[in-house]
Amino acid sequence: TIASSLALILTTACTETVDQNLDFAGGDEGGGAGEDGTEDGDEEGDEGEGEGDDSGYDPPEGEEHDCRGFAASIDELPPNVMLVLDKSGSMIQNSWDHDSDPATEDITRWNSLYQVVSSIVGGFDGGIRFGAFLFPSMEAGTQPEDFGNFCVVSDDAEVPVGDDTAEDILGAIPGAEDTEFGGATPAADGIQTAAQNLLATDHDGPKVMVLVTDGAANCAPGHKQEFKHFDERLITHIADARAGGIPTYVVGIDIDRHRTKGEIDTFTKLFQAAEVGGVARTGDTAFYNAQSHTELQTALDDI
């Protein structure tokens, strides 16, 4: 849906010998006063005896009828896609079976996300302008004494949307095997700031955000050190972005519709976020709910 290339070629070409009995003045106009072009309103005038030409060109007898042609092309207009990525502590604290092989070791959710991002930005680089925004930022605290710093986000994207940014993005986010990061899930501030950065770009083309998270926004004002309350601003900021011309795709990682975290029903909240984002999926799950590495890859490929 995002990556689309349009090449329109309109061409006509024909050369035929004109029969002296063909009536090039016929065609759609027919010959009389009927509604379809005949005196009696029958079908013959509408068809112009099967050989009419409404081009207005009446070649002399025996000469070739040149059906003039033209070609037109429409240049590709790359979209601007901001990847808004969850790098909270749960992304490294939780692992899953990424290859459906019980003999191999499980990997972290972040490991899977890094690999999928690498595949996406590498595979579509050049056709899509990518950028990356992390929440929380790399400055977020990781220890209990750092609670006050768990919800920090940057003022600027780690990598602004631009051409050929694959290498920059992979260098700016933690590596696949990295486990030295953490923090809470300030998705609301992440989405708001990512949208502001995206709106500020001077690149032409559509602007889109892709939110990827393994939990609900839990940095609600007044509760930032509890992480048990959903930050309703996430819904508001996604709706504001859409009103500004930026739709948001929502991708959940291993979200259980029957599990809550504290007072947060993560499945329901991400469902709501996807609906207000303007590009919700049809069916019983409005967001992409990846339950495996393969499904995460498929989700971003589909988007």
Side-chain angles (χ1 to χ4, degrees):
T1 40
I2 290 176
S4 61
S5 174
L6 176 62
L8 175 64
I9 303 299
L10 304 175
T11 181
T12 60
C14 68
T15 303
E16 60 188 25
T17 301
V18 179
D19 190 297
Q20 61 181 357
N21 294 320
L22 298 184
D23 178 14
F24 280 89
D28 290 341
E29 302 226 343
E35 288 185 357
D36 57 0
T38 69
E39 291 181 358
D40 299 323
D42 59 22
E43 297 181 357
E44 292 182 5
D46 186 52
E47 295 293 328
E49 297 181 345
E51 300 290 349
D53 180 355
D54 61 1
S55 67
Y57 174 64
D58 190 5
E61 294 180 4
E63 290 190 5
E64 292 185 341
H65 181 196
D66 177 17
C67 294
R68 306 301 174 97
F70 71 93
S73 64
I74 299 176
D75 292 335
E76 179 180 333
L77 192 60
N80 304 281
V81 180
M82 183 68 80
L83 302 173
V84 188
L85 307 175
D86 184 349
K87 60 153 287 291
S88 60
S90 59
M91 291 293 290
I92 55 174
Q93 293 163 4
N94 295 287
S95 299
W96 60 5
D97 181 4
H98 69 292
D99 57 3
S100 301
D101 182 356
T104 60
E105 186 177 352
D106 290 351
I107 65 174
T108 66
R109 293 171 177 173
W110 178 262
N111 191 325
S112 284
L113 180 55
Y114 180 92
Q115 292 186 50
V116 172
V117 167
S118 177
S119 172
I120 294 298
V121 298
F124 292 100
D125 205 18
I128 296 177
R129 297 188 187 99
F130 284 108
F133 193 98
L134 296 174
F135 65 93
S137 74
M138 294 299 294
E139 304 302 319
T142 61
Q143 302 301 318
E145 59 269 22
D146 298 327
F147 271 0
N149 202 33
F150 269 27
C151 295
V152 64
V153 298
S154 298
D155 292 332
D156 300 310
E158 274 66 24
V159 179
V161 293
D163 297 308
D164 304 317
T165 57
E167 185 175 346
D168 292 338
I169 289 174
L170 297 179
I173 66 177
E177 303 291 339
D178 196 342
T179 58
E180 300 299 322
F181 61 85
T185 311
D189 290 332
I191 280 289
Q192 181 185 42
T193 311
Q196 292 170 350
N197 277 257
L198 195 50
L199 285 171
T201 181
D202 57 0
H203 293 301
D204 293 330
K207 297 176 174 62
V208 180
M209 289 191 293
V210 181
L211 170 65
V212 187
T213 182
D214 74 338
N218 60 7
C219 286
H223 302 282
K224 288 189 176 183
Q225 294 189 21
E226 297 178 24
F227 314 121
K228 296 179 181 180
H229 300 269
F230 179 69
D231 189 348
E232 295 289 348
R233 297 178 305 151
L234 175 64
I235 308 300
T236 301
H237 294 332
I238 290 178
D240 289 344
R242 180 184 177 187
I246 302 177
T248 301
Y249 291 87
V250 178
V251 180
I253 295 179
D254 202 16
I255 305 300
D256 186 342
R257 70 170 64 223
H258 303 297
R259 184 179 67 228
T260 60
K261 184 175 182 181
E263 299 178 6
I264 302 174
D265 181 349
T266 304
F267 183 92
T268 299
K269 292 303 182 181
L270 291 185
F271 194 110
Q272 185 180 2
E275 287 187 316
V276 301
V279 281
R281 303 185 71 200
T282 57
D284 62 352
T285 306
F287 64 97
Y288 292 81
N289 191 10
Q291 298 296 309
S292 68
H293 178 102
T294 300
E295 290 184 7
L296 182 59
Q297 178 75 59
T298 299
L300 267 74
D301 278 337
D302 286 351
I303 293 171

